[in-house]
Every structure is written in structure tokens, then in C-alpha cells.
Amino acid sequence: MHEKIIILDFGSQTTQLIGRRIRELNTYCEILPYHSFPADDPTVRGVILSGSPYSVNNPDAFRIDTAALRGRYPVLGICYGAQLLAATAGGRVESAATREYGRALLTEVDANDPLLDGIRAGSQVWMSHGDTITRLPDTFRVIARTDNVEAAAFRVDGEQTWGVQFHPEVFHTEGGTRLLDNFLTQCGCTRDWTPASFIESTVAELKAQLGDDRVILALSGGVDSSVTAVLLHRAIGSRLTCIFVDHGLLRKNEFENVLRDYEHLGLNVIGVDAKAKFYRELAGVTDPEQKRKIIGRGFIDVFDEEAHKLHDIRWLGQGTIYPDVIESLSVTGTVIKSHHNVGGLPEKMQLKLVEPLRLLFKDEVRRVGAELGMMPHLLKRHPFPGPGLGIRILGEVTPEKVRILQDADDIYISLLREWGLYDEVWQAGTILLPIRSVGVMGDERTYENTIALRAVTSTDAMTADWAQLPYDFLAKVSNEIINKVKGVNRVVYDISSKPPATIEWE
Ligand code: XMP
């Protein structure tokens, strides 16, 4: 069992970031709703209390008995967490005269305090608070100040309990990672969490969990399902069967290329060519949601049919990752998204679920994949929607439109790679618009299709900005597409951010 840090989530938007930073410091951590501290877990080494959208003075604020943690474990309160520590020990927290969002500078730092080791006065920190601590309890001592905030950081005498008003987990806090690292040192953490150790312990757990059972898994070509497959394969070898469905809406040559990669990785994979079924069912359908439903249902039908050809399958493998799990536990009650394209399958097929990546962040999934020896191009692949090109062909989907879009997309993605821009963007693709426009080629008037190029920067697809690709690159892509893709005479670039637009057009 890995030693762990528990992060109690009071609903802050940056709670996940705290988790990522701790993991980057090779320490395992779990993010739990504020009220569910695991009392008798011998592997817990320390506790972090997150920020919150609430004021501690709000009657509805999320509260816990901080005295039950203090002294038993090293505790670090961040923002609301710090205010909660102070308020529940007799201090005072009040609405600040001026709310403070963004940059501030530490003016005084107690260099002798181990939490602030290596952090100097003058360092920039990131603030985001409306309340401030106006009186600390008697045993609490200020260890850092800013011009605006008297208790920018405090320590409780005789205890390993600290509070910081700023956010050490965000990029803009200088020395933030150092501070978290110092906290881990105070917790006595040995930093035993690495991709290699994760693989070793997970493979052992999977072997124990699955015994001689057989597992089926749907591969999509994406990072999560691919790493899940390779990890399961490590544990149970050929008792894992993977199904990779070609719904005819993948990128050009994607099915063949990815299938080859999977076989190269030693996976037992069944490739199913179901193009004709999907094209048939999509004929005449123009509504985006209806297209999504047809593609999703069609996928389940094909998967189910293939699974029934196999015997004694007990488990369904899924590439669920930690952000999905945290979201489903969210204390602020956000609705869970149904991300998975195999949603509904476990019930229909009466299978148990096995999700070996459910505790990993996306960047950890990539590092685990690399440690498993997977090819970089498979690990760095952009996200691609389950319904594929079906939602990038606006209006009715036909095989001819798929051909046009695949050719244009292939030119765009290949040039992004050639120009070294592929890894600079979160996601890129082409969209076939349902309009034709007039053009001239040679002496001939044309009346043909328009392709829109989309490329965005993002960290989680929840918000995104259009990528400022160089003009000469866009000129090259436009020229190549118009000259080489029969049926296209115009290319445009989408300069909309999300929100208010979305990444996909449908
Ligand atoms: P939007 O268009 O909502 O997309 O900004 C956010 C991210 O989700 C992907 N996406 C999908 N993925 N099935 C999926 O598996 C879908 O129906 C779907 N719709 C959008 C999109 O590509 C982007 O990464």
C-alpha cells in the first residue's frame, strides 16, 4: 500500500490541481469530499484542506471538526482551509474590505519555518479570496505576510498545522511546488509513487481481483482505453479480448494504423468493420443529437454482438480516469457527464466493471503508458470524439462526405506534425460545412464545399481558446486542401473560444 495524503475537498475549482501537484511530487493522494475522512487508514501521512466557494461565516458552509485532525496528522489548510482552521479554533474571519484576486507579493517570510524553506520575501503568490483572517487564535503564529494580508501564512505552535491564504497549487505562485514539497517532507513522505510502482501494484491487484476470469474492452484508439488495455494485458495476458470498431467515421487510415499498433503491443484485438451498418443507419439523418444516438447505439450493438461470440466473459474494462471519478463525487453537486461511449453496456451485458486507471490524472496516464513501452504517437494523440467525423460533417453523413473530410483532415493533421505544431494544441480537426460556395479554378467556375479548420488550446476541454496558428501555416494548409481534395474550393479558420462556442460544431 502506498503512503498517502488526503485532500479534503470543500468545493474549490483548484482542488484537482492540488492533487496533481502532490502526485507530481511522487506522492499518492486522494481527493475526498470534505466530510469523508478515512478515520482508520494507516497509510495516511497528512491532510490538506482545500479552498471553497463559501465563506466560513455562511451558515451553509462546509464544516468539519478540525480539532479531530490537528495533532494527529500534519495538516495544511489552503485559503478557505486556512480560514476554517482559524475560525474553528476561536479566531475571526471577516469579509475583506477589498476582495483580493490574483497576484500579491510576500513581504515578510519566517525563513526558519520548515513549510517556507526556500521561499523568499518578494515571491509572487496567487490569491483568490473575499474573506480574510482578522484575528488568529492564541496558539497560531503568522509566518508570512503580504501588503494586504496579515496572516498570509500561519503555523500552530507545537503542532504540524499550517494555513496559507494563497494558493500554492497554481502555476502563478512562485515556490508553490516547493511549499507543497516541504509539507510532504513534514509528513515524512518517502515519495514512493512513480509510474513503475503504480504498474507493479496495479498489476498485482488486477491479478488478485480477476483471478482466471476473462475481460472484454472496447478500444477507441485514444490514450485512456489504450493504456487500460496494455495494463490489463500485463496482468491477465490473452484473457483480455479487445474490440476495436470501425464505424466508418474515423480519420483516414486510422483503423488500419491503430490496429497495427495494438497488434504490435501484443494485444488480443478483434477489429470489426461496421462501416456499412453505420452509413446505412445515418442515411437521411441531419439532427446532431439523433446522429450521436444512432452512432452510440450502433456501437453498443456491434460490441454486444462480438462479445456474444466469446465465452465466459465476466468483466468489462473501461478507461475511466480520476477527473471523472472526482466529478462524480463532487461536493458542489455538479451533474456527472456521461463521457463513456460504452455507457449502458455493463448493465445490458451483466458484466462487472474493472477500471484500473480510475485513480490517475491524464498526465499520469501518459507517463504510465510510456513506462509500459507504448509508442509516443499513441500517447500524445489529441482527444477525438466517440462519434468521430459523424459530428464534424454538419448535416447528413454520406460516404462521399466522409472521404472529403478524411482527406482534408489528413492534410491538416500531417502538416501540424510536420511544422512541429501538433503537440502545441489540445485538439485539432476539420469540419465539413453544409454549404457550397462559388470559386474559380483555372478558367472554370466551381461551386463546391467549404472546410473549416479548428484548433484549440485547453487543459481539460471545459474551456478552450482558438489556437493562434501562424498565418503561413494556415496558408499552406488551405492551399494543399484546395488543390488536393476534390470537391473543396474554400477553407476558413474558426476563431471562436469556448465558451461561448464549443470545440466541436455539433
Ligand atoms: P465540446 O464540443 O463539448 O467538446 O466543446 C469537448 C470535448 O469533448 C469531445 N466530445 C465528445 N467526445 N463523445 C465523445 O466521446 C461525444 O459525443 C463528444 N462530443 C464532444 C470533444 O471532441 C472535445 O474534446
Side-chain angles (χ1 to χ4, degrees), residues 96 98 121 152 259 309 339 395 494:
T98 45
L259 205 52
K309 295 181 191 162
H339 317 252
D494 180 353

Side-chain angles (χ1 to χ4, degrees), residues 292 337-341 383-388 391-392 426-427 454 460-462 464 498 501-506:
R292 263 201 178 76
K337 279 190 289 182
S338 54
H339 317 252
H340 291 287
N341 301 310
F384 187 68
I391 54 169
R392 293 186 182 168
W426 165 267
Q427 193 170 4
R454 183 81 162 131
D460 53 12
M462 302 293 285
K498 172 184 181 177
T502 48
I503 296 175
E504 304 294 345
W505 281 42
E506 280 197 338

Side-chain angles (χ1 to χ4, degrees), residues 317-359:
Q318 266 199 169
T320 312
I321 66 171
Y322 204 35
D324 309 340
V325 175
I326 299 170
E327 202 172 316
S328 66
L329 292 173
S330 166
V331 293
T332 44
T334 332
V335 184
I336 312 165
K337 279 190 289 182
S338 54
H339 317 252
H340 291 287
N341 301 310
V342 287
L345 264 181
E347 296 79 17
K348 180 167 176 179
M349 298 172 64
Q350 297 188 324
L351 295 174
K352 291 188 275 188
L353 271 182
V354 54
E355 301 173 310
L357 304 182
R358 61 181 283 113
L359 294 175

Side-chain angles (χ1 to χ4, degrees), residues 391-411:
I391 54 169
R392 293 186 182 168
I393 293 168
L394 307 196
E396 188 190 1
V397 175
T398 65
E400 172 61 5
K401 289 185 188 172
V402 172
R403 199 263 318 152
I404 291 174
L405 191 58
Q406 280 181 334
D407 285 346
D409 178 82
D410 187 48
I411 290 170

